[in-house]
Amino acid sequence: MGALPAHLERMRTHPEIAGEVLRLEYTAMSLNPNAKLYGRRSLLGFFDRARPRDRACLDAFERELDMPWALYHVRRLFPVSPDGARCPVMHSTERVDIGLPRQLAGRLISVSERHGVDVEHDALYGRARAWVRNRGTAWPMAEELFATAPARVIDKQDKNFEPLWHALTSGSTAQLPLI
């Protein structure tokens, strides 16, 4: 048995732990869709509600989601060095509001629609995500989004984030944010 099947079997044996792991991945993916635990597949995608042992894990996951949620403002920078080499991605995550998932998603959807911004909404589990600035294709680049998720993520921002964000995203001088 490979690592993934063994891991799934352990989760099915311990559905409460599985629920917590699924919530952790779901929260991470709410703020960054690339944060899947298994490469291109979400761990959640391996569970089928029609199977009793999987249903126990999914029920535990839903219980984990039954908590206050937050609306987050997430920004990421993909900077380059003075010689043009890629630098580590920089992050800023800020909690904007706290409340119930449905209320926060409704607010995000309403505000986004008024501003012509598309919203991704997971009606099954509650997440809503609106991309204000999509990631480009070439470094340096920036991305910005608002997303709802369980209120377990702390505010955090990398050192020197704001001046680099401003340099990349503001005015006619928005060029290469060099570190």
Side-chain angles (χ1 to χ4, degrees):
M1 183 180 293
L4 177 59
H7 181 61
L8 293 172
E9 181 56 31
R10 282 190 301 276
M11 292 181 76
R12 291 176 178 118
T13 302
H14 304 283
E16 294 305 316
I17 295 171
E20 184 177 358
V21 171
L22 290 167
R23 183 208 16 101
L24 289 168
E25 181 193 48
Y26 190 79
T27 301
M29 287 179 54
S30 295
L31 305 181
N32 182 355
N34 297 322
K36 297 173 182 77
L37 288 176
Y38 286 95
R40 294 186 177 161
R41 288 194 65 186
S42 163
L43 185 58
L44 192 57
F46 289 101
F47 291 90
D48 179 358
R49 187 163 292 283
R51 297 168 54 191
R53 292 180 73 212
D54 286 7
R55 187 172 46 250
C57 295
L58 293 170
D59 289 346
F61 168 59
E62 289 175 8
R63 286 190 297 277
E64 283 283 325
L65 296 179
D66 187 21
M67 65 170 52
W69 278 42
L71 173 63
Y72 294 98
H73 182 208
V74 179
R75 298 177 292 161
R76 281 186 272 285
L77 284 171
F78 302 79
V80 295
S81 67
D83 65 358
R86 292 180 178 186
C87 295
V89 176
M90 299 177 72
H91 306 84
S92 174
T93 304
E94 177 186 10
R95 185 182 293 178
V96 176
D97 198 3
I98 195 161
L100 298 174
R102 185 172 288 133
Q103 292 169 331
L104 294 171
R107 176 181 169 199
L108 181 57
I109 291 167
S110 175
V111 169
S112 297
E113 286 175 350
R114 283 196 311 270
H115 292 280
V117 175
D118 291 332
V119 178
E120 303 163 10
H121 184 222
D122 174 5
L124 181 59
Y125 296 118
R127 169 185 55 227
R129 184 170 41 223
W131 294 91
V132 177
R133 175 186 304 273
N134 289 310
R135 181 183 301 189
T137 57
W139 289 49
M141 60 187 157
E143 68 181 2
E144 180 177 15
L145 65 132
F146 287 87
T148 64
R152 293 286 183 100
V153 179
I154 61 170
D155 287 1
K156 57 189 170 215
Q157 186 175 82
D158 290 328
K159 185 178 178 182
N160 297 322
F161 182 89
E162 288 300 333
L164 289 171
W165 178 265
H166 184 74
L168 181 63
T169 62
S170 297
S172 62
T173 60
Q175 297 285 330
L176 304 176
L178 302 176
I179 294 182

